[in-house]
Amino acid sequence: MGIRPTAFSAFGFGVNWEFTKPEKVIAQKAMDFLADKRVLTVGHARPQVEAMACLASAAECRARLSEYLNQLEKPGGDLRTWLRAMRQGFVDFIEAGGPEGGRFGPGSDRRFNEALARLRDRVQQQADEISDRYKLAGLSLPEHEG
């Protein structure tokens, strides 16, 4: 664990700091968190009745990835790039659902499943990069049919 200064004072000789988490710890937490999220683990060819639960799950994932990004010290870096790409995948999935999930309403099974497949492909790709870099157990998301 590192230490990051957060405030300094000149004449009082004071320094405030906080402990920082190494990137590998953040990467493992992200993998562990995503491993059981409904939007990523619900089986292929799900009916749109799953849509609202998946949209809520995607919103939770987006928010948590933002938290992990805030814990990273480096303004650049591969982990930041990969987590941002994952987060954008969740944003894109939510946007595909439209206002209040309306585009995933009745009769939208195909649209919903295509959006799920795009999201999972993107998250799996980034998770593979992260697990390779940090030698972690990655994600094993359900396969989808062509």
Side-chain angles (χ1 to χ4, degrees), residues 21 23 26 43 52 73 81 94 103 110 121 124 130:
K21 296 178 184 169
E23 285 188 355
I26 295 170
M52 291 305 121
E73 285 185 49
T81 299
I94 293 166
R103 289 190 201 122
R110 186 169 146 249
D121 287 347
Q124 186 70 67
I130 291 169

Side-chain angles (χ1 to χ4, degrees), residues 4 21 23 26-27 30 61-88 91 130:
R4 175 174 52 188
K21 296 178 184 169
E23 285 188 355
I26 295 170
C61 292
R62 183 202 53 78
R64 183 65 63 92
L65 288 170
S66 291
E67 290 173 19
Y68 293 138
L69 284 162
N70 287 334
Q71 294 173 21
L72 292 173
E73 285 185 49
K74 295 180 189 175
D78 290 338
L79 183 58
R80 181 175 299 280
T81 299
W82 295 324
L83 292 178
R84 287 183 72 165
M86 279 186 185
R87 182 179 64 182
Q88 188 61 48
V91 169
I130 291 169

Side-chain angles (χ1 to χ4, degrees), residues 9-144:
S9 55
F11 299 107
F13 298 102
V15 176
N16 292 338
W17 69 87
E18 66 184 5
F19 290 102
T20 59
K21 296 178 184 169
E23 285 188 355
K24 183 174 182 174
V25 172
I26 295 170
Q28 184 64 66
K29 286 183 177 212
M31 294 297 103
D32 291 345
F33 173 77
L34 294 171
D36 72 339
K37 293 293 127 199
R38 181 181 199 123
V39 69
L40 297 176
T41 60
V42 65
H44 171 69
R46 300 305 295 184
Q48 65 71 223
V49 296
E50 297 278 350
M52 291 305 121
C54 286
L55 284 166
S57 179
E60 179 186 11
C61 292
R62 183 202 53 78
R64 183 65 63 92
L65 288 170
S66 291
E67 290 173 19
Y68 293 138
L69 284 162
N70 287 334
Q71 294 173 21
L72 292 173
E73 285 185 49
K74 295 180 189 175
D78 290 338
L79 183 58
R80 181 175 299 280
T81 299
W82 295 324
L83 292 178
R84 287 183 72 165
M86 279 186 185
R87 182 179 64 182
Q88 188 61 48
F90 289 107
V91 169
D92 292 347
F93 177 78
I94 293 166
E95 290 296 317
E100 298 182 25
R103 289 190 201 122
F104 291 160
S108 67
D109 289 356
R110 186 169 146 249
R111 181 181 303 136
F112 172 62
N113 281 293
E114 287 172 354
L116 271 178
R118 282 192 305 273
L119 170 63
R120 288 178 180 165
D121 287 347
R122 188 170 200 173
V123 170
Q124 186 70 67
Q125 180 183 11
Q126 302 310 313
D128 289 347
E129 295 285 346
I130 291 169
S131 61
D132 287 347
R133 165 66 64 84
Y134 296 102
K135 309 293 186 250
L136 302 172
L139 297 179
S140 182
L141 303 180
E143 295 289 324
H144 65 274

